[in-house]
Amino acid sequence: MATILAACSPLLPKTAMKAGWKASPNFDGRRPNLVIIHHTGNPTLEQALHTLTSPERKVSSHYLIGRDGEIFQLVEENARAWHAGQSWWGGFTDINSVSLGIELDNNGHEPFADAQIEALLALLADIRKRYKIPRANFIGHADVAPTRKDDPSAWFPWQRLAEQGFGLWCEAPLSPAPVGFDLALALTAIGYDPRTPEASRKAFRLHFVRTDQTLSAEHENALAFCLLQQKRSAGP
């Protein structure tokens, strides 16, 4: 099901200094701890592939999944793909260095195809098995770059992913947040950037609130409190 478009050769020493080479077996490859999900914003798969492989565009991801469920690997997992850009999550500012990026062929204004989501779930299960990524660390591009991005859009089925252990989700009825609950602090604890509170709050709503829901302040606080409790119980 996977098509490999590009692969990186083994990394060689980059220092300009004169240095002898004595190989040691005591090392690991880059180990991602986040998965960032995107939509391409392109109308066709061919355009998305062109964008993600063009030297001029300087953007990439580890994987691209077509509407029909075909998976393309564009960058090796131990390499740093250029998919997150300027971003922030849980105190990390170089998200590209700690994450895998997955692009979904979708223009951002349409439902995601079922075959595509099934392929995504299979890929996420494979990634989780190999890297033991915590369930709270499957997030969207808008979560880590809320002032710039809105993908993977309000059409994305976050609840369906959470039911398989990829990401957090809370359903009604929700227990009220405790007296004195601070929403901004809770969003920071979940992972959102405290430097951009309104944009982070908007990204939080995009991810965790269904489009058919009305959201009072009490409901918003209860939702954030529930998600925070879930994240704490899930562990690192």
Side-chain angles (χ1 to χ4, degrees):
M1 182 167 59
T3 301
I4 300 178
L5 291 188
C8 298
S9 58
L11 298 178
L12 298 175
K14 297 295 185 182
T15 180
M17 303 294 293
K18 183 178 179 180
W21 177 255
K22 177 64 175 176
S24 172
N26 306 323
F27 67 94
D28 292 314
R30 186 187 75 102
R31 185 178 182 87
N33 195 46
L34 293 170
V35 173
I36 311 299
I37 299 172
H38 310 250
H39 69 244
T40 61
N42 294 122
T44 69
L45 178 66
E46 291 71 23
Q47 287 179 310
L49 284 170
H50 176 73
T51 297
L52 294 168
T53 60
S54 169
E56 291 77 22
R57 298 299 296 271
K58 298 186 183 301
V59 62
S60 62
S61 66
H62 294 91
Y63 294 98
L64 167 65
I65 305 179
R67 289 173 172 86
D68 62 358
E70 185 174 9
I71 300 174
F72 299 84
Q73 183 168 4
L74 312 179
V75 177
E76 288 203 22
E77 291 178 358
N78 64 355
R80 181 180 178 275
W82 303 342
H83 64 96
Q86 184 177 352
S87 48
W88 200 101
W89 187 256
F92 291 100
T93 56
D94 184 6
I95 299 300
N96 285 338
S97 291
V98 295
S99 67
L100 295 176
I102 301 176
E103 291 272 1
L104 302 178
D105 177 26
N106 182 287
N107 63 21
H109 304 286
E110 60 180 325
F112 290 82
D114 190 63
Q116 186 177 53
I117 298 302
E118 287 294 331
L120 173 63
L121 288 169
L123 177 59
L124 293 180
D126 176 61
I127 289 171
R128 179 176 59 188
K129 181 179 179 180
R130 288 183 285 111
Y131 295 112
K132 305 296 188 293
I133 295 176
R135 66 173 298 179
N137 289 6
F138 294 85
I139 51 180
H141 198 186
D143 294 312
V144 301
T147 62
R148 302 184 299 110
K149 298 295 180 179
D150 63 358
D151 55 316
S153 88
W155 290 100
F156 189 72
W158 285 113
Q159 181 179 1
R160 183 173 172 186
L161 264 67
E163 289 169 353
Q164 301 297 318
F166 307 115
L168 305 176
W169 190 264
C170 287
E171 273 290 297
L174 300 172
S175 299
V179 176
F181 182 78
D182 189 315
L183 178 62
L185 287 179
L187 294 185
T188 301
I190 291 170
Y192 288 98
D193 190 344
R195 302 170 301 177
T196 57
E198 288 306 313
S200 293
R201 188 176 177 186
K202 182 179 179 180
F204 160 72
R205 292 182 177 187
L206 176 67
H207 186 138
F208 294 106
V209 181
R210 294 198 307 264
T211 55
D212 61 346
Q213 282 183 310
T214 56
L215 194 67
S216 65
E218 292 78 12
H219 184 184
E220 188 173 30
N221 285 347
L223 177 59
F225 177 65
C226 174
L227 292 167
L228 185 57
Q229 296 300 104
Q230 276 197 9
K231 180 172 182 177
R232 287 171 174 170
S233 64

